[in-house]
Amino acid sequence: MPLKLKPRKNIWYIEGTITTIGGEKCRVRETTDFTLSQRMQAEHKLSSVLADAVAGMYLAKEVKLKRTVGDAVDLMLNRASPIGGTDAGYLEHFKDYYGGVELSKAKPSEIMSWCNRPGQKANSTARRWGTLRSMFNHASTQGFDVPTEIFKLKATIEDDARNRWLTEDERDNFLEICRVHEPEIVKEMTFLFYTGVRLGEMFSMNDQQILGCGDSAFFVSRKGKKRIKHTRTIPLPKKAIDVIGKRKSGLVFSSPSGEMWDRKNFYRYYNRARDLAKLDDFFCHDARHTYASHLVQRGASLRAVADLLGHKSLSMVMRYSHLSKSHLSDTVALLEKRDTNLTHPISFQKFNFSGNSSGIKVTDNVSA
């Protein structure tokens, strides 16, 4: 592509490929050192670089920008197809931790140190690394100098069997602590416990998602590598309806400032409430497990729970199967039933086919 000005972090950069007067291709990547408000000066610098490139002055060595890890993160966050809220949150945290390091000098050991936090479950480590791997892959396809050693890192074997949930008493006690000590999030936590929605889904929920008389709501998620859009509708129990209340700026739930919640701000309140409740190893996402576990304990089918949670297959809800008292016992009880369509004799009523030329009569208790 021809040389163009591209904005990155409030600075104009010159990027593109030019053909010299000798017919050779030359790739240019260079900063103008001018801010976005200095567009005219940046355009003058672009004209100068273009003349030098056509003259062949950039052939001896192509200009390479010293990209940082933060630049690679920004590239991923601003790509055409948006990434999920959880992935975006991970990348923002990683940028704060490691963003100032020059990308070409990034060390795999330091990257994995961030992924593998003390006390963290294997599936969480794998999820973090998966997000970073996608980011580094994207940066590499855009011409960034990513060390090849990073792509040799092994992802932790994922164990998605986590099923931390609260009993009704534990749940109610936690909500009471929120009401007394952290009232900013009591409505939000109640909604999570009684709907099973994801934290990001609750943050972005708006008025238009509430259906009918306010007794149900729909949520849209993108799943899989192709980010296929899935929509599910959830009936809202009375507890969830009661906490919806008045809305600000179109949001069903908002932060104390009236803006959309972000995870960092929300977790400040959540962590204090969790510590007061003395709940070890319990995260916001576990409210979703609590919702599903209570439904199964009350006799809900795994298929219904999967639909409410937004899972297309039953594999993700099989972790709750042991909580159902009737799940397997009802199936085994079928062996005790004598009246089934496979073992019971088929009886026919007596018919008189007087109009049948064959004269055949069908009598009672003819066994098939």
Side-chain angles (χ1 to χ4, degrees), residues 116-357:
N116 191 18
R117 299 171 64 186
Q120 183 171 259
K121 300 294 183 179
N123 61 324
S124 297
T125 299
R127 176 65 188 274
R128 283 169 164 253
W129 166 236
T131 300
L132 295 189
R133 181 177 55 199
S134 297
M135 180 268 292
F136 285 124
N137 278 332
H138 182 63
S140 180
T141 61
Q142 299 302 309
F144 283 32
D145 187 12
V146 181
T148 57
E149 292 79 7
I150 290 178
F151 299 110
K152 297 178 182 179
L153 288 171
K154 298 286 186 180
T156 306
I157 297 176
E158 186 166 355
D159 176 13
D160 199 24
R162 176 182 173 82
N163 186 19
R164 175 74 165 97
W165 55 278
L166 301 183
T167 64
E168 289 187 32
D169 289 341
E170 288 175 325
R171 177 199 63 195
D172 295 343
N173 179 61
F174 178 72
L175 290 177
E176 179 63 17
I177 287 176
C178 288
R179 187 187 68 80
V180 175
H181 298 283
E182 304 295 340
E184 295 85 355
I185 63 168
V186 63
K187 292 182 178 180
E188 286 81 350
M189 288 308 307
T190 300
F191 193 79
L192 291 177
F193 277 122
Y194 283 93
T195 62
V197 300
R198 301 175 179 89
L199 192 62
E201 291 175 332
M202 183 193 69
F203 286 167
S204 61
M205 185 180 177
N206 58 54
D207 288 333
Q208 297 178 352
Q209 293 176 239
I210 301 175
L211 303 174
C213 300
D215 56 357
S216 62
F218 74 89
F219 297 87
V220 179
S221 59
R222 295 183 179 274
K223 305 291 288 183
K225 293 182 178 179
K226 296 184 178 180
R227 308 300 293 171
I228 298 175
K229 184 169 69 173
H230 298 289
T231 302
R232 74 185 190 280
T233 299
I234 300 176
L236 300 178
K238 186 178 184 303
K239 291 280 189 180
I241 295 173
D242 289 343
V243 299
I244 288 178
K246 296 181 180 180
R247 272 84 73 182
K248 300 178 181 179
S249 305
L251 295 172
V252 175
F253 300 100
S254 57
S255 68
S257 64
E259 304 297 326
M260 182 186 293
W261 280 104
D262 63 72
R263 290 174 183 270
K264 188 175 182 180
N265 189 23
F266 187 84
Y267 265 98
R268 287 196 302 112
Y269 299 100
Y270 171 82
N271 288 337
R272 289 197 294 260
R274 183 188 61 184
D275 292 342
L276 288 172
K278 298 181 180 179
L279 294 175
D280 297 328
D281 189 31
F282 186 79
F283 302 98
C284 283
H285 192 77
D286 293 328
R288 183 170 163 87
H289 296 318
T290 301
Y291 169 79
S293 298
H294 289 180
L295 286 176
V296 173
Q297 287 175 320
R298 284 165 174 75
S301 70
L302 295 181
R303 178 68 269 172
V305 173
D307 291 341
L308 290 169
L309 295 179
H311 297 313
K312 290 303 177 182
S313 69
L314 294 180
S315 60
M316 291 296 289
V317 295
M318 287 306 296
R319 70 181 78 179
Y320 309 113
S321 62
H322 70 285
L323 299 173
S324 175
K325 296 179 181 179
S326 61
H327 171 164
L328 298 179
S329 59
D330 287 351
T331 302
V332 174
L334 293 175
L335 295 174
E336 305 295 330
K337 296 181 67 174
R338 299 180 62 83
D339 188 11
T340 70
N341 63 344
L342 294 179
T343 62
H344 192 279
I346 301 176
S347 298
F348 297 88
Q349 295 293 331
K350 186 175 182 179
F351 295 95
N352 182 11
F353 298 104
S354 58
N356 192 329
S357 60

Side-chain angles (χ1 to χ4, degrees), residues 14-77:
I14 299 172
E15 296 186 13
T17 303
I18 195 70
T19 302
T20 69
I21 55 177
E24 299 172 286
K25 297 287 185 180
C26 176
R27 187 178 183 183
V28 177
R29 290 184 290 178
E30 181 175 335
T31 180
T32 66
D33 293 322
F34 293 112
T35 64
L36 299 186
S37 61
Q38 299 174 303
R39 177 67 184 258
M40 184 176 294
Q41 294 92 323
E43 289 179 345
H44 283 303
K45 180 68 175 288
L46 173 63
S47 299
S48 175
V49 171
L50 177 61
D52 290 342
V54 171
M57 296 180 62
Y58 281 82
L59 284 178
K61 59 176 182 178
E62 294 186 358
V63 177
K64 288 189 177 181
L65 299 174
K66 288 186 177 181
R67 308 281 191 181
T68 65
V69 172
D71 292 332
V73 170
D74 289 337
L75 186 68
M76 186 70 171
L77 292 174

